[in-house]
Amino acid sequence: METLERITVDPNVCLGQPTIRGMRITVSFVLKLLASHLSVQEIRN
């Protein structure tokens, strides 16, 4: 699956913010976690 296919926008989910497909986790939240120096592995857990 191409990386961008994992990001979806649905006006009925998370106020229309971009989310990870099938989850209610916003892309901005994931970016904030990465900015706070968490590793990808730590975020996945």
Side-chain angles (χ1 to χ4, degrees):
M1 178 184 293
E2 189 172 323
T3 304
L4 294 179
E5 291 177 2
R6 294 182 185 160
I7 298 172
T8 61
V9 176
D10 181 344
N12 298 314
V13 177
C14 295
L15 301 173
Q17 296 181 36
T19 58
I20 306 302
R21 182 178 301 281
M23 303 179 156
R24 292 183 182 265
I25 299 173
T26 62
V27 173
S28 64
F29 181 67
V30 173
L31 292 175
K32 287 176 187 176
L33 293 175
L34 290 170
S36 66
H37 305 290
L38 289 176
S39 68
V40 173
Q41 186 65 29
E42 290 172 315
I43 294 171
R44 284 184 171 179
N45 293 330

